[in-house]
Amino acid sequence: MTGIAYSRKFTAALLVLTLGAGASVGLLTPAFAATPASSCTTPTFPRSTTATAGTNPRHVLTADLDGDGDTDVVAANLDGNSVTVLLNSGDGSFAAATTYTTDSLPVAVGSGDVDGDGTADLLVSSLNGDSVAVYRGGSEQLSLLTTLTADGAYDASVADLDDDGTADIAVAAGGAGQVVTFTGSCS
């Protein structure tokens, strides 16, 4: 397998969503950030950053989408038919939010190295859009790689399911009561 699952840097954090119009995503960093998690018996989580997300964010993801080694935050905005990407500046603060339009009712976001370049790519599952949009990561601007069709796409995950060294995508297709797998190939 090549580059399907990786981690450049682990950062302990807790994300909290406040639901409603113009909602905010709060990133809480642990007080023991400089101490290995195994030696922390009583962690605390003081609020450190709040960033505005889109309308009615329902799902969050943390991943290094721009490939700079810092963990970024993505929120799926259920009523806004969009995702909000917050690129980490490296000190726990975030650059201005970037919003990407999605198909109808984005309910989940996921990540994995779909194109094999060593950086995380973004998957956006849209329930009413019956789709999973795959965005290429690796720079400050995401670009749409492809859109997969799955009836009532609820969630998606990346793995090398057939052991050929290429990423595949599994989708929970709630509308069809199925799990749909898309076998990846590289051209």
Side-chain angles (χ1 to χ4, degrees):
M1 288 193 250
T2 57
I4 301 300
Y6 68 94
S7 176
R8 286 192 181 165
K9 174 175 132 179
F10 175 77
T11 304
L14 173 66
L15 290 166
V16 176
L17 284 176
T18 305
L19 303 177
S24 295
V25 176
L27 175 66
L28 307 178
T29 52
F32 61 91
T35 306
S38 61
S39 66
C40 180
T41 57
T42 309
T44 60
F45 298 91
R47 169 171 247 133
S48 63
T49 303
T50 299
T52 300
T55 305
N56 202 1
R58 288 296 177 127
H59 191 252
V60 293
L61 164 78
T62 56
D64 181 12
L65 293 175
D66 58 2
D68 66 357
D70 300 317
T71 305
D72 307 310
V73 178
V74 179
N77 304 314
L78 187 70
D79 295 335
N81 295 330
S82 65
V83 292
T84 300
V85 177
L86 303 165
L87 297 178
N88 192 328
S89 299
D91 59 1
S93 66
F94 297 92
T98 304
T99 300
Y100 297 89
T101 302
T102 66
D103 282 341
S104 180
L105 211 61
V107 291
V109 286
S111 69
D113 187 8
V114 174
D115 57 6
D117 66 356
T119 59
D121 303 306
L122 176 67
L123 287 76
V124 181
S125 301
S126 295
L127 185 64
N128 286 354
D130 297 327
S131 66
V132 175
V134 181
Y135 292 88
R136 180 187 314 262
S139 71
E140 291 184 6
Q141 291 293 317
L142 303 178
S143 59
L144 184 65
L145 278 172
T146 190
T147 302
L148 308 172
T149 302
D151 186 18
Y154 197 80
D155 200 4
S157 185
V158 177
D160 186 359
L161 298 172
D162 56 5
D163 244 355
D164 66 351
T166 315
D168 306 307
I169 298 175
V171 179
Q178 301 171 332
V179 171
V180 179
T181 58
F182 294 89
T183 304
S185 63
C186 204
S187 54

